[in-house]
Amino acid sequence: MTSLQISLLVFGAFTVAAVIGFNVWTSSKNAPRQADFELKGVSQDKTDNASTEPVEPQLVSDLGSLPLPEKKPFIDPLIDAITPIELEALVSGDAILAALPPTRRVGTKPFSVEGLNESTGEWEAPLAGRRYSAAQAAVQLANRVGPINDIEFSEFVIKAQAVADDLNGETVFPDMLDEVARGRDLDQFASAHDAQLSFTLCAKASAWSPGYIHQHAARLGFVAGVIPGRMVMPGAVQGAAPILSLVFDTQAAMADDPALSAIREFTISLDVPQINRTEAPFSMLRDASKLLAQAMDGVVTDGGGHVLSDAELDAIAADLEQLYDALDQRELSAGSPQARRIFS
């Protein structure tokens, strides 16, 4: 073999090695970023929640990490059409429960019945083993589906009358036209003062794997939700809406090998009327988005590709304060049982 042939072979080998190296580097550069570790044979949720490395500032308080049970809201004349049920004698909670209809809805509106506890003198959802001196039935006047209509109110009358008949009680129904008008008024106010904010975090360069998103979000207090691709930041009240929700591609989260899924964006959302303003939910939304963008090499956008500036975020915060004030004045304060029912 001549020296020229040897030189060509050596050059060819170097060329092949360089091409392979470049391809490996390119693949590594374009691969989705992974969590710090992967555990084979362990579910994605367990893997995602395993990291405990702290990140400052911590967005969730100790109270938020240990939710308290929520006291269920009572029937409220502010948002419900109510009919009293006068009883001839004391009735048991078992009797009221047996008289309830199979479904607790009237059309698209919640239907509920309460009893006046003989011992405490307070209205409550009927419980077996207790006795009640009176009852009342109610239907909610409005929700995010819209106001109550004539057909729904008529169905409410039928269901409430059936409960009263089973309990040998007498009913007095409010005027349908008045209650439907109240429902429309409530719906108009709620529609004008509803707000659901979402920020979209977009990757600047390398995409993210589901585990990578989980790991960084968990450090700020997010926990895995029931639906794949969803995480939530729980609040202080058990059973209430989460303060924030983080959502990314469900198909990527359910992939056979999620580590190979490439995600270039995800959203963080706040349902404003559902969360008490004292929890500073918008500040949490803003801080969480900013911290995740910094840690994951991303940018915070409005969902349309526009990167949000601090001045624009300040303007949103100011608008929200006016919204909170308006809700307070209508006795539908954000996070209150009434607001959570109307804005649902």
Side-chain angles (χ1 to χ4, degrees), residues 103-111 139-140 143 145 147-149 151-156 159:
T103 60
R104 307 298 169 80
R105 299 193 74 81
V106 171
T108 61
K109 308 298 182 292
F111 170 84
V139 61
Q140 191 167 306
N143 55 17
V145 179
I148 191 171
N149 57 43
I151 295 176
E152 290 174 325
F153 189 87
S154 298
E155 185 180 344
F156 161 63
K159 284 192 173 183

Side-chain angles (χ1 to χ4, degrees), residues 34-39 42-56 58 210-224 231 292 295:
Q34 305 296 325
D36 292 342
F37 52 85
E38 298 289 344
L39 298 179
V42 180
S43 69
Q44 185 66 42
D45 286 347
K46 292 181 179 179
T47 304
D48 295 334
N49 293 334
S51 176
T52 58
E53 181 182 346
V55 171
E56 297 295 338
Q58 188 71 18
Y212 189 77
I213 296 174
H214 268 264
Q215 185 177 63
H216 282 280
R219 290 170 177 171
L220 297 182
F222 286 91
V223 298
M231 300 184 73
L292 288 174

Side-chain angles (χ1 to χ4, degrees), residues 12 45 78 106 139 151 170 232 247-248 279 301 328 337 339:
D45 286 347
L78 178 68
V106 171
V139 61
I151 295 176
E170 296 290 334
V232 297
V247 179
F248 58 89
E279 298 193 56
T301 75
D328 290 344

Side-chain angles (χ1 to χ4, degrees), residues 20-82:
I20 293 175
F22 177 78
N23 288 336
V24 170
W25 176 81
T26 301
S27 298
S28 175
K29 186 174 183 297
N30 293 330
R33 299 187 179 192
Q34 305 296 325
D36 292 342
F37 52 85
E38 298 289 344
L39 298 179
K40 294 183 178 180
V42 180
S43 69
Q44 185 66 42
D45 286 347
K46 292 181 179 179
T47 304
D48 295 334
N49 293 334
S51 176
T52 58
E53 181 182 346
V55 171
E56 297 295 338
Q58 188 71 18
L59 295 181
V60 178
S61 65
D62 292 338
L63 182 62
S65 62
L66 296 172
L68 302 175
E70 179 183 22
K71 187 176 182 180
K72 291 186 177 180
F74 297 119
I75 291 174
D76 192 317
L78 178 68
I79 61 174
D80 292 311
I82 305 172

Side-chain angles (χ1 to χ4, degrees), residues 155-330:
E155 185 180 344
F156 161 63
V157 171
I158 294 172
K159 284 192 173 183
Q161 186 63 58
V163 173
D165 291 343
D166 285 347
L167 300 176
N168 294 320
E170 296 290 334
T171 58
V172 178
F173 289 98
D175 182 77
M176 181 181 72
L177 295 180
D178 290 343
E179 296 305 296
V180 170
R182 284 210 303 139
R184 286 197 298 267
D185 177 68
L186 191 59
D187 177 69
Q188 289 174 359
F189 173 84
S191 298
H193 296 84
D194 200 355
Q196 299 175 71
L197 300 177
S198 292
F199 294 161
T200 300
L201 272 70
C202 301
K204 289 182 180 178
S206 299
W208 306 307
S209 69
Y212 189 77
I213 296 174
H214 268 264
Q215 185 177 63
H216 282 280
R219 290 170 177 171
L220 297 182
F222 286 91
V223 298
V226 176
I227 302 173
R230 184 173 189 262
M231 300 184 73
V232 297
M233 183 176 289
V237 178
Q238 184 178 2
I243 298 177
L244 302 177
S245 298
L246 185 155
V247 179
F248 58 89
D249 184 21
T250 301
Q251 291 185 345
M254 297 178 64
D256 293 335
D257 188 355
L260 299 180
S261 299
I263 301 170
R264 300 205 60 84
E265 66 178 35
F266 61 87
T267 61
I268 304 180
S269 303
L270 164 64
D271 193 340
V272 176
Q274 291 286 329
I275 310 301
N276 196 300
R277 70 193 299 181
T278 60
E279 298 193 56
F282 181 72
S283 293
M284 297 180 71
L285 171 64
R286 183 174 181 170
D287 292 344
S289 301
K290 182 177 180 180
L291 289 170
L292 288 174
Q294 291 175 344
M296 301 172 65
D297 191 26
V299 292
V300 182
T301 75
D302 60 1
H306 173 70
V307 178
L308 294 171
S309 66
D310 287 339
E312 290 170 319
L313 294 173
D314 290 341
I316 295 174
D319 290 341
L320 283 181
E321 290 303 312
Q322 295 181 10
L323 175 62
Y324 285 132
D325 291 341
L327 292 173
D328 290 344
Q329 293 170 6
R330 187 64 185 248

